[in-house]
Each structure stands twice: as C-alpha cells, then as structure tokens.
Amino acid sequence: MPLKIVKFLLLLVCPLTMFAQQVSIIPQPVELKLNEGNFSIDNNTSVQFNASQAALKPAVDFFLNAVNDISGITLQQNKPTAKKVEFVLAAQTAFKPEAYSLTVTPSLIQIKASSYAGIFYGIQSVLQTLPQVRTNAALQVPCMQIMDEPRFKWRGMHLDVSRHFFSADVVKQYINLMSMYKMNTFHWHLVDDQGWRIEIKKYPRLTSTGAWRVDQNDKVWGSRPQAQPGEAATYGGYYTQEQVKEIIAYAKTRNVTVVPEIEMPGHVASAIAAYPHLSCTQQPQLSLTGGNYNNMSSNYCAGNEEVFSFLQDVLTEVIALFPSTYIHIGGDEVDKGPWKKCERCQARMKKEGLKNEEELQSYFIKRMEKFIVSKKRKMIGWDEILEGGLAPEATVMSWRGEAGGIEAAKMNHDVVMTPGSPCYFDHYQAGPEGEPLAIGGFNTVKKVYDYEPIPKELNAEQHKYVLGAQGNVWTEYISTAEHLEYMVLPRMLALAETVWSPAAAKDWNSFSKRLQFHFKAFDAKGLHYSPGNFTVDIKPAAKNGKLEVALLSEVPTASILYTTDGTVPTISSRLYTKPIPVESTQTLRAVTMQNGKIMNLQPVDQRFVMHQAVGANVQYVHQPSRSYMADGVNSLTDGVRGKSAVNKFWHGFSKNNLVATVDLGAEKNISSITLGCLQHYRDWIFLPTAVRFEISVDGKIFTEAATVQNNISVNETALTIKDFTAKFAAANARYVRVTAFTLEACPKGHPGEGKPAWTFADELIVE
Ligand code: ACM
Ligand code: ZN
C-alpha cells in the first residue's frame, strides 16, 4: 500500500481505536458509547446523593474509600462544587434488578439504578477505568454512556474451605474480587469430610474436633496416611458465628449473597469424627487427613431419627445467620454401601416403602427440604438429588456435565449450571507441564469464555429455569491464598462475561485485549494469576495415507515456534504458519511466543512413530465412544503413541469389541502388527482379553495372522500400556483387520463390578 494512503487511513482510524482502547471493562457492558474528553476526579469533586436514602450510604462510602485508596483524595459530599459524582436511586420500575446507567461528561459522573446493586455496579465500572494502585496522577474517567444489566441472576463462585482452610480475610478478599467483576453469589462449601468449618453453638464438637486434623499437608492429597491415635490434630480452623456475620455484611456491601453449603447425607466424616453416633456403624473415628477413606464412615445414618433432629438444629442456626434465600444441602457422591449394610437404614426403607438406597437418599433430601421450606427458604443441591426422585421445590446444581441441569429444567425446576468442563477451576488451565499439581481435567480461560450456560436441549420456554452459572474451586490441591488466586484468575473474569454480557456480544479477541489491563492490575496489586493458556495444542490429522500436524494457540496475539529434531525451541526456531507434514519418526516440540518472549515454562512435545499404516483410513464396525475420540476417526493411524491422559490419545470402546479395518492404500509387504492398549483400573479401563490380527489382499477374504492373548491381570491397578504384537512370516497385504476382545465386565471387587468395562487403543502399528 502506498505510504500516503496508509497515513490517511491512520488519521481516520486512530481517534476511533484510541477510544476503543480507553476502557477495558470486564464484563463487557450491554451498551457502551465512548465520547471525547474526560472527567477528572480531584479535590473539587463532590459526591451527590439523597441523604435520606440510607440504603445508598454503603455504596457512597465504598466509592469514597476506593478513590481515597488510589489517590489519597477525600471527596466532598453534597457540596456545590463544579464537578459532581451523582448517585441516583430511581423508581423501582425504571431499571431491572442490578441494572444501571452510567453517564460521564467533563463535569458529571452520574450513576442511576433502581437498586443498591445497580449503583454498586455503576461504581465498579467507573473504578475499572481508573488506575488500579495508589498514584499521584490525575484520576481521569473517559466520557462515555453505559446502559448495563446482567444476563443471568446467579453469577456464582464456589469455594471449598473444608479440604483446606482459608482465613476470614482470604474469604473476604475472594468476595471482593468476585464483586469487582459483578459476580453476585458466593457458594461457601463449609462442610466436607476433611473439616467442619462453621461454629454451631449447640454442637461444639463439630468444630473443636471436626475442624482439626493431623497435619499431612506436605503430602499429596491421595497419599496422606490416616491419623493414628495419639497424634495431635493441629491443622484446621473454623469461622465463628461472629466472623460469619461479618463476612455476610462485607459481602452485602458488595452485592454478594453468601449461600452456605451444609453437606449431607454423605461427605460428612468430619461430623462423624465429632459425633460418631450419627453414622451407621456408630464407631469412633479420627478426622480424615486427605483422600484415604479406608474403614471410615462418611455418611449420616438415614435410619436414625437423631440424625434428622441434629441436622434441623444445625440448619436452624445456619438459617438464623444467613439471609440467603437458598440453603445448599450438598447431596453429592453418597456411597450407598453403608446404608445397604445398616439395620436402621434398611428398617427405614421397609417402613417407608422405599425400593432402593437411591430412594432412601431422596427420602432424606425431601425431608430436609420440607424443613427448609418451613423456614421460608429454598433448598439447592448437587445433581445427585435427582436420583430416587427430586424434592418438590428443589433447585439443582448441575456438576456432572449438563445432564442433571437439563433433566431438572425439563421438569420445570430451577437449575444452576456448573459442569466440570469448563466450570471447575480446580482443573488445569494450561500445561500441565510446569503448572502446579491439579486434580486433572483441562479448563482453559478460552474454554470458560466460550461456555454457553443454556443447553441446546432446552426449548425457549425452559430457558428461564437456568438461573445462571458458577465456577467451583475444590481445594484438595490448593492450600494457600496465592494458589487460590492463581486458579481463579483469570478464569473467573471469563465466566463473569459469560454470565453478565449478552451472548451475542461475546468476542474472544476483544476480551483477550481487555484482559491485558486486568493483568497489569493484578501485577500492580500483587495478585497471582495464570497469564492464560499458552500451551500449544498439537493436533495430528491422518488421512488418505498422509499425516499432517496442526499447531494451535488460544492467544490471538501470539505466534508458535517449533522444532522437529527433539531440541527445545528458542525464539529463532521455525515459525509455524501451516500444518506440518510428518514423514519420518520424530519428536515435535513447540512453544508460544508473545512480544518476543517464550511464554511456556516447558515446551509441549509429541513423538510420532512412522510405520506402514500411518495416515491410513480406518473403518470401524462399532464407532468409538463420543467421549473418547482422541484426534478423530483415524487416531489409530496418526503415529501418536498414547500417554496417561485418558481423554487425549485413546479411542475408547464399551460393550462392543474394537473391530477396525485399515486400508494401506496399496499392497505392502508386512511381517509385524501391533495394537497399543491401556489398562487404567481406576477409570474402568481394562486390557482386551485377546487381540486377533487378520490380513487381506482384496479386503474381502481375510486370513488370520495371529491372535495374541492378554497376560496381565485384571486386578493390576497401576496404569499399564501394553502392546499386543503379532510377528509372522512376511506377506503381501493391502488390508489389516484387528479385533480387540473387550473384557465383558469390570472384575470382582472393582467399584464397577459386573458393569461394562472399557477398551482403549492408541495406535495400530504395521511394519
Ligand atoms: C462435586 O464436585 N462433588 C459436587
Ligand atoms: Zn444407617
């Protein structure tokens, strides 16, 4: 382009882009129009409000303090100054709940709303245009006009304070961070097996015993030894009722409702450590130190009346403390085993005509709902409360995917969506190379950003049952405030935009740009955060005899560098521009570069093995499970050997044998065929009982080359990758057919005993 034209365009474009870059508000407001000029906040600025509207005062104070913290300026109040920051509480009908308008001119900042919430959110939008740390610079708010309201009313963040305890100050900081991004519901997971965290006056042992455990924090959660008699229980803590009140008041100023979760009837080993008579066995037990449950009770006995009176007493104190409409009763992951063996539970089932333990759980939850409703509150629980019949007025929190939420909404029940993927913020957000140890899963900031809380399965009439969505933070692997911040930032910001901004207004590139302002704010404030997912995604594509590898990055502004000789990529390595053909055995390594800097702690790498079937098309008799598709239909011939991550490299089959035919494209001379398979006992994945290999010249008549039997025990619990290899006298063939015979059912003693087992395969190697 000739230089003159470029200059002309720059003149035209610059003022607009400058405006566009002046504000980086997250979540993106519904309507935002930037105008020329600024409002300067200084000593000649007065805050104007109707002093008789007492409800406004906390918002006014919040704003005054925020400005003072940044600049040291003490703003005047209701004085006739030239410049005004005006808070207007309008008639109830003028704005929707939580909605606001914000007008900024050189002489006026006006926030209007019909609710405290709206005024507070107008303030938050203004604060996001100011410097984020103490400064002597002028505080300039760009002139603009905003109309804003949330898409969803439940904009939640959850925090598990049982697995690790976080002080009242850390909880407040969490709530404060939530409110900066207009999140309004704090789900406080106060009870779980490894710690009871709320003072209950009538049952002091819940905290004097149930809040403390032997300190095994230096060991990974799942491998902590259980407590022994005589060992001191020194790790833990709890919130006094005074602290709870303080936190609720702190949250209220920030328009955050605190929803307490008092877990039942499972996940309560802490309550049983305090009061053993609440379990089915009634045996004394010590507090759990981590994830080892051997010989421990973690359920309340559903046949014991004392359990119900205990829980009603507990909830009575909880309801008196928490103004929240919703009381969360947990309800997830109840191991029904102890109830099956308990005389009292079985007697209850007989008396109440309950067919199975699922119905016993439903009986338990329905009884608690009746009590909660009698106190003029609503009950919410994890999606397991659907099993055995949903309580009449229950709200369902869908965590095991979206299915529970869909089912409940179809039954005209309210739901909150928090599916593990992508709403669990305890999962990895990058790496996993170089990342702090996490519980598994992979929820990147983009995956969270792209989440749509209303499932396609619901019709327009049912949309209204989706109250919103929530990010969950389980803390088995998170023991410090810094680590907690790291897991939440920036994913919470992505979720905030998902639940606040109109779906049609969402724009990943715009969000990524605005995020840079917030990263600088986190840096300035000393907050820990993940810089985003710079992990390069390696995507092989095998087709028509060829193997190509695409390299992908979530970061729109970054570039990808790679090597194929196994060396660590540097800034002078090859720049990725288009899919790379793979024609020999090699290890590909890749990194992301931004602003001339490599952003990964470690490169990702993938080894490709070259063999005669690489790139060949695969025909299955039964398709692999949709959940385990690896890189697509031809994963068996993509040259990629599987690693431990079960959802990445492997094709999974359940109920059916794996029967695949591979077309080598032309007759080839072959003497060895291998099928790579996985056993992962914990995930119900077992090696096939045998693998049969057949070859053919015409694709019609096949002859058996060999059948290889499995020689590894079904009870092998360590992750095992086994190659089933047939070697035979060299023969010509164009087609190879492989049959892996699936183990009929999970073996005796396995948690899935008698239920279908999985067969997993990664590669069919032909040589
Ligand atoms: C859950 O993650 N167990 C609700
Ligand atoms: Zn029982």
Side-chain angles (χ1 to χ4, degrees):
M1 202 182 288
L3 197 62
K4 256 191 197 159
I5 297 180
V6 174
K7 271 194 181 156
F8 172 71
L9 281 178
L10 278 176
L11 276 176
L12 259 181
V13 169
C14 269
L16 289 173
T17 43
M18 266 165 59
F19 281 161
Q21 285 167 353
Q22 261 173 332
V23 294
S24 297
I25 298 173
I26 293 178
Q28 178 66 39
V30 175
E31 282 176 36
L32 165 75
K33 189 172 166 289
L34 277 166
N35 299 319
E36 221 159 329
N38 293 294
F39 179 106
S40 252
I41 299 176
D42 55 29
N43 289 316
N44 272 323
T45 307
S46 171
V47 175
Q48 306 294 120
F49 58 98
N50 181 343
S52 69
Q53 291 173 328
L56 268 181
K57 195 68 174 90
V60 173
D61 290 343
F62 184 86
F63 183 71
L64 293 173
N65 287 334
V67 169
N68 189 265
D69 283 349
I70 302 165
S71 63
I73 295 170
T74 303
L75 294 177
Q76 316 211 39
Q77 297 183 46
N78 287 333
K79 291 278 158 53
T81 49
K83 285 184 295 177
K84 297 185 173 83
V85 179
E86 193 178 25
F87 300 125
V88 181
L89 205 48
Q92 277 301 323
T93 48
F95 289 86
K96 288 192 195 155
E98 302 187 293
Y100 68 94
S101 70
L102 168 64
T103 305
V104 183
T105 71
S107 60
L108 177 72
I109 295 177
Q110 187 192 57
I111 298 169
K112 258 179 143 170
S114 294
S115 62
Y116 178 86
I119 299 286
F120 179 77
Y121 288 149
I123 291 172
Q124 288 294 359
S125 290
V126 170
L127 293 179
Q128 285 198 19
T129 68
L130 295 180
Q132 298 295 297
V133 279
R134 180 90 184 188
T135 177
N136 292 323
L139 301 189
Q140 301 215 311
V141 182
C143 291
M144 60 184 161
Q145 179 70 45
I146 288 179
M147 286 295 299
D148 207 5
E149 65 182 42
R151 181 173 170 210
F152 290 104
K153 60 183 169 200
W154 187 298
R155 303 184 302 280
M157 284 296 292
H158 150 287
L159 180 62
D160 166 12
V161 293
S162 171
R163 272 55 177 272
H164 283 101
F165 178 67
F166 296 89
S167 70
D169 283 342
V170 172
V171 172
K172 283 185 187 167
Q173 161 75 347
Y174 194 79
I175 290 169
N176 190 46
L177 264 178
M178 286 175 59
S179 74
M180 287 166 64
Y181 297 98
K182 304 188 175 84
M183 300 296 272
N184 69 353
T185 306
F186 173 51
H187 172 170
W188 202 3
H189 186 75
L190 286 161
V191 171
D192 214 305
D193 293 313
Q194 294 82 4
W196 182 288
R197 303 291 180 214
I198 178 172
E199 177 190 24
I200 300 295
K201 305 255 191 213
K202 190 159 182 183
Y203 299 100
R205 289 215 302 276
L206 285 173
T207 44
S208 65
T209 298
W212 301 95
R213 63 185 190 229
V214 174
D215 188 345
Q216 300 283 6
N217 279 358
D218 58 336
K219 298 177 193 73
V220 174
W221 188 255
S223 51
R224 294 179 180 180
Q226 287 184 346
Q228 298 302 314
E231 284 183 310
T234 54
Y235 176 83
Y238 65 93
Y239 311 96
T240 65
Q241 294 202 352
E242 280 315 303
Q243 284 177 311
V244 168
K245 284 183 207 161
E246 220 180 89
I247 286 168
I248 292 168
Y250 179 92
K252 184 169 179 233
T253 303
R254 288 157 179 78
N255 193 45
V256 172
T257 301
V258 184
V259 176
E261 181 181 348
I262 305 299
E263 174 91 75
M264 63 187 79
H267 279 288
V268 292
S270 55
I272 291 164
Y275 297 100
H277 74 281
L278 299 173
S279 77
C280 287
T281 65
Q282 306 200 338
Q283 292 303 306
Q285 67 185 35
L286 297 168
S287 297
L288 291 185
T289 56
N292 182 348
Y293 285 79
N294 275 342
N295 301 317
M296 292 286 189
S297 292
S298 58
N299 291 352
Y300 293 129
C301 177
N304 181 354
E305 275 307 298
E306 281 180 75
V307 164
F308 292 92
S309 53
F310 162 80
L311 284 172
Q312 291 187 5
D313 292 342
V314 168
L315 287 181
T316 299
E317 290 191 33
V318 167
I319 287 168
L321 283 170
F322 289 85
S324 157
T325 304
Y326 289 94
I327 303 294
H328 202 303
I329 51 73
D332 59 319
E333 299 182 314
V334 181
D335 170 12
K336 312 292 191 310
W339 288 352
K340 287 184 182 153
K341 287 187 259 171
C342 170
E343 268 176 32
R344 278 182 300 268
C345 285
Q346 293 303 312
R348 169 86 73 198
M349 283 168 60
K350 202 158 169 209
K351 176 157 172 268
E352 300 289 338
L354 307 171
K355 286 196 292 292
N356 51 38
E357 286 71 21
E358 280 70 30
E359 290 193 4
L360 182 58
Q361 148 128 340
S362 170
Y363 164 87
F364 196 114
I365 302 290
K366 283 176 180 160
R367 220 176 131 170
M368 295 321 297
E369 178 178 68
K370 224 182 218 167
F371 179 76
I372 289 168
V373 168
S374 79
K375 301 280 184 185
K376 311 267 183 300
R377 304 298 178 92
K378 291 185 182 176
M379 186 190 75
I380 182 167
W382 300 111
D383 56 48
E384 286 92 332
I385 65 172
L386 281 153
E387 293 164 4
L390 188 56
E393 298 173 47
T395 298
V396 171
M397 195 167 256
S398 191
W399 73 278
R400 296 176 302 171
E402 296 189 307
I406 293 165
E407 187 183 341
K410 286 186 170 171
M411 292 157 65
N412 303 349
H413 282 251
D414 285 340
V415 302
V416 174
M417 302 306 286
T418 180
S421 166
C423 291
Y424 271 39
F425 294 174
D426 54 338
H427 293 186
Y428 284 103
Q429 55 195 321
E433 299 86 357
E435 287 292 304
L437 183 65
I439 206 150
F442 197 57
N443 291 333
T444 64
V445 61
K446 181 164 194 300
K447 210 165 138 188
V448 177
Y449 191 80
D450 288 343
Y451 179 55
E452 168 49 50
I454 297 185
K456 284 191 277 301
E457 289 81 351
L458 299 183
N459 65 34
E461 179 54 25
Q462 291 156 345
H463 288 185
K464 63 172 185 277
Y465 296 116
V466 179
L467 302 181
Q470 178 173 290
N472 288 348
V473 187
W474 303 97
T475 59
E476 289 93 336
Y477 293 75
I478 305 170
S479 60
T480 66
E482 292 75 19
H483 191 178
L484 176 62
E485 287 163 14
Y486 181 84
M487 299 309 275
V488 163
L489 302 176
R491 288 186 285 196
M492 182 182 72
L493 282 64
L495 184 64
E497 192 144 311
T498 291
V499 288
W500 179 281
S501 307
K506 281 174 68 184
D507 175 347
W508 170 246
N509 286 347
S510 153
F511 176 79
S512 299
K513 278 195 202 123
R514 281 177 284 128
L515 199 50
Q516 302 311 311
F517 168 88
H518 298 269
F519 283 165
K520 286 192 194 120
F522 299 156
D523 283 332
K525 293 174 180 172
L527 289 170
H528 299 75
Y529 65 96
S530 163
N533 176 32
F534 289 93
T535 314
V536 178
D537 199 8
I538 298 184
K539 278 227 173 302
K543 210 175 156 190
N544 300 332
K546 289 204 164 42
L547 173 60
E548 283 193 334
V549 181
L551 304 181
L552 309 170
S553 165
E554 285 194 349
V555 185
T557 52
S559 40
I560 297 172
L561 304 167
Y562 72 99
T563 62
T564 55
D565 60 2
T567 58
V568 174
T570 66
I571 51 169
S572 42
S573 293
R574 253 179 293 177
L575 179 71
Y576 175 78
T577 53
K578 59 177 198 299
I580 308 157
V582 176
E583 283 154 0
S584 60
T585 293
Q586 59 185 246
T587 298
L588 193 123
R589 303 185 112 182
V591 293
T592 310
M593 180 175 73
Q594 176 154 280
N595 303 326
K597 205 174 126 202
I598 289 177
M599 301 300 292
N600 311 84
L601 295 171
Q602 286 173 37
V604 288
D605 63 65
Q606 181 62 58
R607 186 173 155 75
F608 293 93
V609 291
M610 203 35 66
H611 55 84
Q612 302 217 62
V614 164
N617 294 337
V618 180
Q619 291 275 337
Y620 279 119
V621 172
H622 313 286
Q623 291 308 306
S625 157
R626 271 177 38 197
S627 307
Y628 300 108
M629 281 305 293
D631 287 311
V633 285
N634 293 334
S635 261
L636 280 190
T637 56
D638 63 5
V640 174
R641 294 313 313 266
K643 298 185 199 170
S644 61
V646 296
N647 53 357
K648 226 172 160 183
F649 309 95
W650 303 88
H651 271 179
F653 299 82
S654 175
K655 300 195 185 105
N656 294 312
N657 293 334
L658 175 169
V659 188
T661 305
V662 167
D663 178 356
L664 302 177
E667 233 173 83
K668 294 185 180 173
N669 192 255
I670 63 177
S671 60
S672 160
I673 316 174
T674 295
L675 183 73
C677 295
L678 176 72
Q679 179 146 314
H680 200 207
Y681 187 90
R682 196 188 69 194
D683 287 343
W684 302 31
I685 301 165
F686 293 91
L687 291 169
T689 55
V691 179
R692 182 173 67 209
F693 300 99
E694 297 162 290
I695 57 176
S696 166
V697 172
D698 59 4
K700 295 189 186 91
I701 301 163
F702 282 84
T703 49
E704 180 170 331
T707 293
V708 184
Q709 300 296 325
N710 177 29
N711 57 2
I712 290 178
S713 163
V714 291
N715 295 315
E716 175 56 62
T717 54
L719 185 138
T720 306
I721 295 173
K722 177 179 164 64
D723 282 350
F724 289 80
T725 298
K727 291 207 183 288
F728 46 89
N732 281 359
R734 175 169 169 179
Y735 299 90
V736 172
R737 184 160 71 194
V738 58
T739 305
F741 296 94
T742 295
L743 184 69
E744 236 167 59
C746 295
K748 204 165 158 26
H750 184 273
E753 178 177 337
K755 299 202 174 122
W758 286 92
T759 297
F760 270 47
D762 67 335
E763 190 74 6
L764 184 72
I765 300 165
V766 179
E767 289 175 310

